[in-house]
Coordinates of all heavy atoms in Angstrom, one line a residue:
M292 N -135.0 -7.9 -52.6 CA -136.0 -6.9 -52.0 C -137.2 -7.7 -51.5 O -137.7 -8.5 -52.2 CB -136.4 -5.9 -53.0 CG -137.0 -4.6 -52.4 SD -137.5 -3.4 -53.6 CE -135.9 -2.6 -53.9
N293 N -137.6 -7.4 -50.3 CA -138.8 -8.1 -49.7 C -140.1 -7.4 -50.1 O -140.5 -6.3 -49.7 CB -138.7 -8.1 -48.2 CG -139.8 -8.9 -47.6 OD1 -140.7 -9.4 -48.2 ND2 -139.7 -9.0 -46.2
T294 N -140.8 -8.1 -51.1 CA -142.0 -7.4 -51.6 C -143.2 -7.4 -50.6 O -144.1 -6.7 -50.7 CB -142.5 -8.2 -52.9 OG1 -142.6 -9.6 -52.6 CG2 -141.5 -8.0 -54.0
E295 N -143.1 -8.3 -49.5 CA -144.1 -8.2 -48.5 C -144.2 -6.9 -47.8 O -145.3 -6.5 -47.2 CB -143.9 -9.3 -47.4 CG -144.2 -10.7 -48.0 CD -143.9 -11.8 -47.0 OE1 -143.8 -11.5 -45.8 OE2 -143.7 -13.0 -47.4
N296 N -143.1 -6.2 -47.7 CA -143.1 -4.9 -47.0 C -143.4 -3.7 -48.0 O -143.2 -2.6 -47.5 CB -141.7 -4.7 -46.3 CG -141.5 -5.6 -45.2 OD1 -142.5 -6.1 -44.6 ND2 -140.3 -6.0 -45.0
H297 N -143.8 -4.0 -49.2 CA -144.1 -3.0 -50.1 C -145.5 -2.5 -50.0 O -146.4 -3.2 -49.7 CB -143.9 -3.4 -51.6 CG -142.4 -3.5 -51.9 ND1 -142.0 -3.7 -53.2 CD2 -141.3 -3.3 -51.2 CE1 -140.7 -3.7 -53.3 NE2 -140.3 -3.4 -52.1
F298 N -145.7 -1.2 -50.1 CA -147.0 -0.5 -50.0 C -147.2 0.2 -51.3 O -146.5 1.1 -51.6 CB -147.0 0.5 -48.8 CG -148.3 1.1 -48.6 CD1 -149.3 0.4 -47.9 CD2 -148.5 2.4 -48.9 CE1 -150.6 0.9 -47.7 CE2 -149.8 3.0 -48.6 CZ -150.8 2.2 -48.1
K299 N -148.2 -0.3 -52.0 CA -148.5 0.3 -53.3 C -149.5 1.4 -53.3 O -150.6 1.1 -52.7 CB -148.9 -0.8 -54.3 CG -147.8 -1.8 -54.6 CD -148.3 -2.9 -55.5 CE -147.2 -3.9 -55.7 NZ -147.6 -5.1 -56.5
I300 N -149.2 2.5 -53.8 CA -150.2 3.6 -53.9 C -150.3 4.1 -55.3 O -149.3 4.0 -56.0 CB -150.0 4.7 -52.9 CG1 -148.6 5.4 -53.1 CG2 -150.1 4.3 -51.5 CD1 -148.4 6.7 -52.4
V301 N -151.4 4.7 -55.7 CA -151.5 5.3 -57.0 C -151.9 6.8 -56.8 O -152.8 7.1 -56.0 CB -152.6 4.6 -57.8 CG1 -152.8 5.3 -59.2 CG2 -152.3 3.2 -58.0
I302 N -151.1 7.7 -57.4 CA -151.4 9.1 -57.3 C -152.0 9.6 -58.7 O -151.3 9.4 -59.7 CB -150.1 9.9 -57.1 CG1 -149.4 9.3 -55.9 CG2 -150.4 11.4 -56.9 CD1 -149.9 9.7 -54.5
V303 N -153.2 10.1 -58.7 CA -153.9 10.5 -59.9 C -154.2 12.0 -59.8 O -154.6 12.5 -58.7 CB -155.2 9.7 -60.1 CG1 -155.8 10.1 -61.4 CG2 -154.8 8.2 -60.1
G304 N -154.0 12.7 -60.8 CA -154.4 14.2 -60.8 C -154.0 14.9 -62.1 O -153.2 14.3 -62.9
H305 N -154.6 16.0 -62.3 CA -154.3 16.8 -63.4 C -152.9 17.4 -63.3 O -152.2 17.4 -62.3 CB -155.3 18.0 -63.6 CG -156.6 17.5 -64.1 ND1 -156.8 17.2 -65.4 CD2 -157.8 17.4 -63.5 CE1 -158.1 16.9 -65.6 NE2 -158.7 16.9 -64.4
V306 N -152.3 17.9 -64.4 CA -151.0 18.5 -64.5 C -151.0 19.7 -63.5 O -152.0 20.4 -63.3 CB -150.7 19.0 -65.9 CG1 -151.6 20.1 -66.4 CG2 -149.2 19.5 -66.0
D307 N -149.9 19.7 -62.7 CA -149.7 20.8 -61.7 C -150.6 20.7 -60.5 O -150.8 21.7 -59.8 CB -149.8 22.2 -62.3 CG -148.5 22.6 -63.0 OD1 -147.5 21.9 -62.9 OD2 -148.5 23.6 -63.7
H308 N -151.2 19.6 -60.3 CA -152.0 19.4 -59.1 C -151.3 18.9 -57.9 O -151.9 18.6 -56.8 CB -153.2 18.6 -59.4 CG -154.4 19.4 -60.0 ND1 -155.6 18.9 -60.1 CD2 -154.4 20.6 -60.5 CE1 -156.4 19.8 -60.7 NE2 -155.7 20.9 -60.9
G309 N -150.0 18.6 -58.0 CA -149.1 18.3 -56.9 C -148.7 16.8 -56.8 O -148.3 16.4 -55.7
K310 N -148.9 16.1 -57.8 CA -148.5 14.6 -57.8 C -147.0 14.4 -57.4 O -146.7 13.7 -56.5 CB -148.8 14.0 -59.2 CG -150.3 14.1 -59.6 CD -150.5 13.4 -60.9 CE -149.7 14.0 -62.1 NZ -150.1 15.4 -62.4
S311 N -146.2 15.1 -58.2 CA -144.7 14.9 -58.0 C -144.4 15.4 -56.6 O -143.5 14.8 -55.9 CB -143.9 15.7 -59.0 OG -144.2 15.1 -60.3
T312 N -145.0 16.5 -56.2 CA -144.7 17.0 -54.8 C -145.0 16.0 -53.8 O -144.2 15.7 -52.9 CB -145.5 18.3 -54.6 OG1 -145.2 19.2 -55.6 CG2 -145.3 18.9 -53.2
I313 N -146.1 15.4 -53.8 CA -146.5 14.4 -52.8 C -145.7 13.1 -52.8 O -145.3 12.6 -51.8 CB -148.0 14.1 -52.8 CG1 -148.4 13.5 -51.4 CG2 -148.4 13.1 -53.9 CD1 -149.9 13.5 -51.1
I314 N -145.3 12.7 -54.0 CA -144.5 11.5 -54.2 C -143.1 11.8 -53.6 O -142.5 11.0 -52.9 CB -144.4 11.1 -55.6 CG1 -145.8 10.6 -56.1 CG2 -143.4 9.9 -55.8 CD1 -145.9 10.4 -57.6
G315 N -142.5 13.0 -54.0 CA -141.2 13.4 -53.4 C -141.2 13.5 -51.9 O -140.3 13.0 -51.3
R316 N -142.3 14.0 -51.4 CA -142.4 14.1 -49.9 C -142.5 12.7 -49.3 O -141.9 12.5 -48.3 CB -143.6 15.0 -49.6 CG -143.8 15.3 -48.1 CD -142.6 16.2 -47.6 NE -142.6 16.2 -46.2 CZ -142.8 17.2 -45.4 NH1 -143.1 18.4 -46.0 NH2 -142.7 17.2 -44.1
L317 N -143.3 11.8 -49.9 CA -143.4 10.5 -49.4 C -142.0 9.8 -49.4 O -141.7 9.1 -48.4 CB -144.4 9.7 -50.2 CG -145.9 10.0 -49.9 CD1 -146.8 9.4 -50.9 CD2 -146.3 9.5 -48.5
L318 N -141.3 9.9 -50.5 CA -140.0 9.2 -50.6 C -139.1 9.8 -49.6 O -138.3 9.0 -48.9 CB -139.4 9.5 -52.1 CG -140.0 8.8 -53.2 CD1 -139.5 9.3 -54.5 CD2 -139.8 7.2 -53.1
S319 N -139.1 11.1 -49.4 CA -138.2 11.7 -48.4 C -138.6 11.3 -47.0 O -137.7 10.8 -46.2 CB -138.4 13.2 -48.5 OG -137.6 13.9 -47.6
D320 N -139.8 11.4 -46.6 CA -140.3 11.1 -45.3 C -140.2 9.6 -44.9 O -140.1 9.3 -43.7 CB -141.7 11.6 -45.0 CG -141.8 13.1 -44.9 OD1 -140.8 13.8 -45.2 OD2 -142.9 13.6 -44.5
T321 N -140.2 8.8 -45.8 CA -140.1 7.3 -45.6 C -138.6 6.9 -45.7 O -138.4 5.6 -45.6 CB -141.0 6.5 -46.5 OG1 -140.6 6.8 -47.9 CG2 -142.4 6.8 -46.3
G322 N -137.7 7.8 -45.9 CA -136.3 7.4 -46.0 C -136.0 6.5 -47.3 O -135.1 5.7 -47.3
S323 N -136.8 6.7 -48.3 CA -136.6 5.9 -49.5 C -135.7 6.5 -50.6 O -135.6 5.9 -51.7 CB -138.0 5.6 -50.2 OG -138.9 5.1 -49.2
L324 N -135.2 7.7 -50.3 CA -134.3 8.3 -51.3 C -132.9 7.8 -51.2 O -132.5 7.4 -50.1 CB -134.3 9.8 -51.1 CG -135.6 10.6 -51.4 CD1 -135.5 12.0 -50.9 CD2 -135.8 10.6 -52.9
P325 N -132.1 7.8 -52.3 CA -130.7 7.4 -52.1 C -130.0 8.4 -51.2 O -130.4 9.6 -51.1 CB -130.2 7.6 -53.6 CG -131.4 7.6 -54.5 CD -132.5 8.1 -53.6
N326 N -129.0 8.0 -50.5 CA -128.3 8.8 -49.5 C -127.8 10.1 -50.2 O -127.2 10.1 -51.3 CB -127.0 8.1 -49.0 CG -127.4 7.2 -47.8 OD1 -128.5 7.4 -47.2 ND2 -126.6 6.3 -47.5
G327 N -128.1 11.2 -49.6 CA -127.6 12.5 -50.0 C -128.4 13.2 -51.1 O -128.1 14.3 -51.5
R328 N -129.4 12.5 -51.6 CA -130.2 13.0 -52.7 C -130.9 14.3 -52.3 O -130.9 15.3 -53.1 CB -131.3 12.0 -53.2 CG -132.3 12.5 -54.2 CD -131.6 13.0 -55.5 NE -131.1 11.8 -56.2 CZ -129.8 11.7 -56.5 NH1 -129.0 12.7 -56.3 NH2 -129.4 10.6 -57.2
L329 N -131.5 14.4 -51.1 CA -132.3 15.6 -50.7 C -131.3 16.8 -50.6 O -131.6 17.8 -51.1 CB -132.9 15.3 -49.3 CG -133.8 16.4 -48.8 CD1 -135.0 16.5 -49.7 CD2 -134.3 16.0 -47.3
E330 N -130.1 16.6 -50.0 CA -129.2 17.6 -49.9 C -128.7 18.1 -51.3 O -128.5 19.3 -51.5 CB -127.9 17.1 -49.1 CG -128.3 16.8 -47.6 CD -129.1 15.6 -47.4 OE1 -129.1 14.7 -48.3 OE2 -129.8 15.5 -46.4
Q331 N -128.5 17.1 -52.2 CA -128.0 17.4 -53.6 C -129.0 18.3 -54.3 O -128.6 19.3 -54.9 CB -127.9 16.1 -54.3 CG -126.7 16.0 -55.2 CD -126.6 14.6 -55.7 OE1 -127.6 13.9 -55.9 NE2 -125.3 14.1 -56.0
V332 N -130.3 18.0 -54.1 CA -131.3 18.8 -54.9 C -131.5 20.2 -54.2 O -131.6 21.2 -54.9 CB -132.7 18.0 -54.8 CG1 -133.8 18.9 -55.4 CG2 -132.5 16.8 -55.7
K333 N -131.4 20.2 -52.9 CA -131.4 21.5 -52.2 C -130.3 22.4 -52.6 O -130.4 23.6 -52.8 CB -131.4 21.3 -50.7 CG -132.7 20.8 -50.1 CD -132.8 20.7 -48.6 CE -134.2 20.4 -48.2 NZ -134.2 20.1 -46.7
E334 N -129.1 21.8 -52.8 CA -127.9 22.5 -53.2 C -128.1 23.0 -54.6 O -127.7 24.2 -55.0 CB -126.7 21.6 -53.1 CG -125.3 22.2 -53.6 CD -124.9 23.4 -52.8 OE1 -125.5 23.7 -51.8 OE2 -123.9 24.1 -53.2
M335 N -128.7 22.2 -55.5 CA -129.0 22.6 -56.9 C -129.9 23.8 -56.9 O -129.7 24.7 -57.7 CB -129.6 21.4 -57.6 CG -130.0 21.7 -59.1 SD -131.2 20.6 -59.7 CE -132.7 21.3 -58.9
C336 N -130.9 23.8 -56.0 CA -131.9 24.9 -56.0 C -131.1 26.2 -55.5 O -131.4 27.3 -56.0 CB -133.0 24.6 -55.0 SG -134.0 23.3 -55.7
R337 N -130.3 26.0 -54.5 CA -129.5 27.1 -54.0 C -128.6 27.8 -55.1 O -128.7 29.0 -55.2 CB -128.7 26.7 -52.8 CG -128.2 27.8 -51.9 CD -127.1 27.4 -50.9 NE -126.0 26.8 -51.5 CZ -125.0 27.5 -52.2 NH1 -125.1 28.8 -52.3 NH2 -124.0 26.8 -52.8
K338 N -128.0 26.9 -55.8 CA -127.1 27.4 -56.9 C -127.8 28.2 -57.9 O -127.3 29.1 -58.6 CB -126.3 26.2 -57.5 CG -125.1 25.8 -56.7 CD -124.3 24.8 -57.5 CE -123.2 24.2 -56.7 NZ -122.7 22.9 -57.1
N339 N -129.1 27.7 -58.2 CA -129.9 28.3 -59.3 C -130.8 29.3 -58.7 O -131.7 29.8 -59.4 CB -130.7 27.2 -60.0 CG -129.7 26.3 -60.8 OD1 -129.0 26.7 -61.7 ND2 -129.8 25.0 -60.5
S340 N -130.7 29.7 -57.5 CA -131.5 30.7 -56.8 C -133.1 30.4 -57.0 O -133.8 31.2 -57.3 CB -131.3 32.1 -57.3 OG -129.9 32.4 -57.2
R341 N -133.4 29.1 -56.8 CA -134.8 28.7 -56.9 C -135.2 28.1 -55.6 O -134.4 27.5 -54.9 CB -134.9 27.5 -57.9 CG -134.6 27.8 -59.4 CD -135.1 26.8 -60.3 NE -136.5 26.7 -60.2 CZ -137.2 26.0 -61.1 NH1 -136.6 25.3 -62.1 NH2 -138.6 26.0 -61.0
P342 N -136.5 28.3 -55.2 CA -137.0 27.7 -53.9 C -137.0 26.2 -54.1 O -137.3 25.7 -55.2 CB -138.4 28.3 -53.8 CG -138.6 29.3 -54.9 CD -137.5 29.1 -55.9
F343 N -136.6 25.5 -53.0 CA -136.7 24.0 -53.1 C -138.1 23.5 -53.3 O -139.0 24.1 -52.7 CB -136.1 23.4 -51.8 CG -136.3 22.0 -51.7 CD1 -135.5 21.1 -52.4 CD2 -137.3 21.5 -50.9 CE1 -135.7 19.7 -52.3 CE2 -137.5 20.1 -50.7 CZ -136.7 19.2 -51.5
E344 N -138.3 22.5 -54.1 CA -139.5 21.8 -54.2 C -139.3 20.3 -54.2 O -138.4 19.8 -54.8 CB -140.2 22.2 -55.6 CG -140.6 23.6 -55.7 CD -141.8 23.8 -56.6 OE1 -142.6 22.9 -56.8 OE2 -142.0 24.9 -57.1
Y345 N -140.2 19.7 -53.4 CA -140.1 18.2 -53.4 C -140.2 17.5 -54.7 O -139.7 16.5 -54.9 CB -141.1 17.6 -52.3 CG -140.6 17.8 -50.9 CD1 -141.0 18.9 -50.2 CD2 -139.8 16.8 -50.3 CE1 -140.6 19.0 -48.8 CE2 -139.3 17.0 -49.1 CZ -139.7 18.0 -48.3 OH -139.2 18.2 -47.0
A346 N -141.0 18.2 -55.7 CA -141.2 17.7 -57.0 C -139.8 17.5 -57.7 O -139.7 16.6 -58.5 CB -142.1 18.5 -57.8
F347 N -138.8 18.3 -57.3 CA -137.5 18.2 -58.0 C -136.8 16.9 -57.7 O -136.0 16.5 -58.5 CB -136.6 19.4 -57.6 CG -137.1 20.7 -58.0 CD1 -136.7 21.9 -57.3 CD2 -138.0 20.9 -59.1 CE1 -137.1 23.1 -57.7 CE2 -138.4 22.1 -59.5 CZ -138.0 23.3 -58.8
L348 N -137.2 16.2 -56.6 CA -136.6 14.9 -56.3 C -137.0 13.9 -57.4 O -136.2 13.0 -57.7 CB -137.1 14.5 -54.9 CG -136.6 15.2 -53.7 CD1 -137.4 15.0 -52.5 CD2 -135.1 14.8 -53.5
L349 N -138.2 14.1 -57.9 CA -138.6 13.2 -58.9 C -137.8 13.4 -60.2 O -137.4 12.4 -60.9 CB -140.1 13.4 -59.2 CG -141.1 12.6 -58.3 CD1 -141.2 11.2 -58.7 CD2 -140.8 12.7 -56.9
D350 N -137.6 14.6 -60.5 CA -136.8 15.0 -61.7 C -135.4 14.5 -61.6 O -134.9 13.9 -62.6 CB -136.8 16.5 -61.9 CG -138.1 17.1 -62.1 OD1 -139.0 16.4 -62.6 OD2 -138.3 18.3 -61.9
A351 N -134.9 14.6 -60.4 CA -133.5 14.0 -60.2 C -133.4 12.5 -60.4 O -132.5 12.0 -61.1 CB -133.0 14.4 -58.8
L352 N -134.5 11.8 -59.9 CA -134.5 10.4 -60.1 C -134.7 10.0 -61.5 O -134.0 9.1 -62.0 CB -135.7 9.8 -59.2 CG -135.4 9.8 -57.7 CD1 -136.7 9.4 -57.0 CD2 -134.3 8.8 -57.3
K353 N -135.6 10.7 -62.3 CA -135.8 10.5 -63.7 C -134.5 10.6 -64.5 O -134.2 9.8 -65.4 CB -136.9 11.4 -64.2 CG -138.3 10.9 -64.0 CD -139.3 11.8 -64.8 CE -140.6 11.9 -64.0 NZ -141.3 13.2 -64.3
N354 N -133.8 11.7 -64.2 CA -132.5 11.9 -64.9 C -131.6 10.8 -64.7 O -130.9 10.3 -65.6 CB -131.9 13.2 -64.5 CG -132.6 14.4 -65.0 OD1 -133.3 14.3 -66.1 ND2 -132.5 15.6 -64.4
E355 N -131.5 10.3 -63.5 CA -130.6 9.2 -63.2 C -131.0 7.9 -63.9 O -130.2 7.2 -64.4 CB -130.6 8.9 -61.7 CG -129.8 10.0 -60.9 CD -129.1 9.4 -59.7 OE1 -129.5 8.3 -59.3 OE2 -128.2 10.1 -59.2
Q356 N -132.4 7.7 -63.9 CA -132.8 6.5 -64.6 C -132.5 6.5 -66.0 O -132.0 5.5 -66.6 CB -134.4 6.4 -64.4 CG -134.7 5.9 -63.0 CD -136.2 6.0 -62.7 OE1 -137.0 6.4 -63.6 NE2 -136.6 5.6 -61.5
R357 N -132.6 7.7 -66.6 CA -132.3 7.8 -68.1 C -130.8 7.5 -68.3 O -130.4 6.9 -69.3 CB -132.6 9.2 -68.5 CG -133.0 9.3 -70.0 CD -133.6 10.7 -70.3 NE -134.8 11.1 -69.6 CZ -134.9 12.1 -68.9 NH1 -133.9 13.1 -68.8 NH2 -136.0 12.4 -68.3
Q358 N -129.9 7.9 -67.3 CA -128.5 7.6 -67.4 C -128.1 6.2 -67.1 O -127.0 5.9 -67.1 CB -127.7 8.7 -66.6 CG -127.8 10.1 -67.1 CD -127.5 11.0 -65.9 OE1 -126.9 10.7 -64.9 NE2 -127.8 12.3 -66.1
G359 N -129.1 5.5 -66.5 CA -128.8 4.1 -66.2 C -128.0 4.0 -64.9 O -127.4 2.9 -64.7
S360 N -128.0 5.0 -64.1 CA -127.2 5.0 -62.9 C -127.9 4.7 -61.6 O -127.4 4.8 -60.5 CB -126.4 6.3 -62.7 OG -127.4 7.4 -62.6
L361 N -129.2 4.4 -61.7 CA -130.0 4.1 -60.5 C -130.5 2.7 -60.6 O -131.0 2.2 -61.6 CB -131.2 5.1 -60.4 CG -131.9 5.1 -59.1 CD1 -131.1 5.8 -58.0 CD2 -133.2 5.8 -59.2
Ligands
GDP215 N1 -150.2 25.7 -52.6 C1 -149.8 24.5 -52.9 N2 -149.0 24.3 -53.9 C2 -148.6 23.0 -54.2 C3 -149.0 22.0 -53.4 N3 -148.5 20.8 -53.9 C4 -147.8 21.2 -55.0 N4 -147.8 22.6 -55.1 C5 -147.2 23.4 -56.2 O1 -147.8 23.2 -57.4 C6 -146.9 23.1 -58.5 C7 -147.0 21.8 -59.3 O2 -146.7 20.7 -58.4 P1 -146.2 19.3 -59.0 O3 -145.9 18.4 -57.9 O4 -145.0 19.5 -60.0 O5 -147.5 18.8 -59.9 P2 -147.7 17.6 -60.9 O6 -147.7 18.2 -62.2 O7 -149.1 17.0 -60.5 O8 -146.6 16.6 -60.7 C8 -145.5 23.2 -57.8 O9 -145.0 24.5 -58.0 C9 -145.7 22.9 -56.3 O10 -144.9 23.7 -55.5 C10 -149.9 22.2 -52.3 O11 -150.3 21.3 -51.5 N5 -150.3 23.5 -52.1
MG216 MG1 -145.1 15.9 -62.0

């Protein structure tokens, strides 16, 4: 991985102030998500009759990291 092209940012805020939402949106808009992840999370929301939230992309990544599959 080329670290010269990395852009480091820090998101700080209280609980429920939208940190996960903005990170999810940034990952999505910069094409940094694994292929199909956005569609997978949208499908999960549809199945559970929940409105889609960009914050759920973070939860999906966290679950994968815990499973060692990312
Ligand atoms: N109205 C509004 N709601 C937002 C915004 N950003 C996030 N939210 C909502 O606030 C809630 C908490 O967001 P989340 O990203 O999980 O917050 P975190 O705890 O800081 O990670 C979620 O229900 C989001 O949909 C925003 O810009 N405007
Ligand atoms: Mg969060």
Side-chain angles (χ1 to χ4, degrees):
M292 196 180 281
N293 184 355
T294 52
E295 284 176 22
N296 292 330
H297 283 185
F298 183 74
K299 295 180 183 175
I300 59 169
V301 177
I302 309 281
V303 181
H305 285 286
V306 66
D307 278 351
H308 275 193
K310 301 180 299 295
S311 296
T312 300
I313 199 167
I314 294 167
R316 185 66 194 245
L317 283 169
L318 288 172
S319 176
D320 285 10
T321 57
S323 305
L324 291 167
N326 275 344
R328 172 63 67 238
L329 187 64
E330 294 70 24
Q331 220 170 30
V332 173
K333 283 184 175 171
E334 176 64 8
M335 179 202 77
C336 291
R337 196 192 58 75
K338 277 185 187 159
N339 294 302
S340 305
R341 297 192 64 165
F343 170 77
E344 293 211 20
Y345 279 93
F347 295 157
L348 290 163
L349 276 282
D350 297 336
L352 289 169
K353 271 188 217 157
N354 284 339
E355 285 211 345
Q356 282 169 1
R357 212 171 296 128
Q358 289 161 17
S360 58
L361 193 73

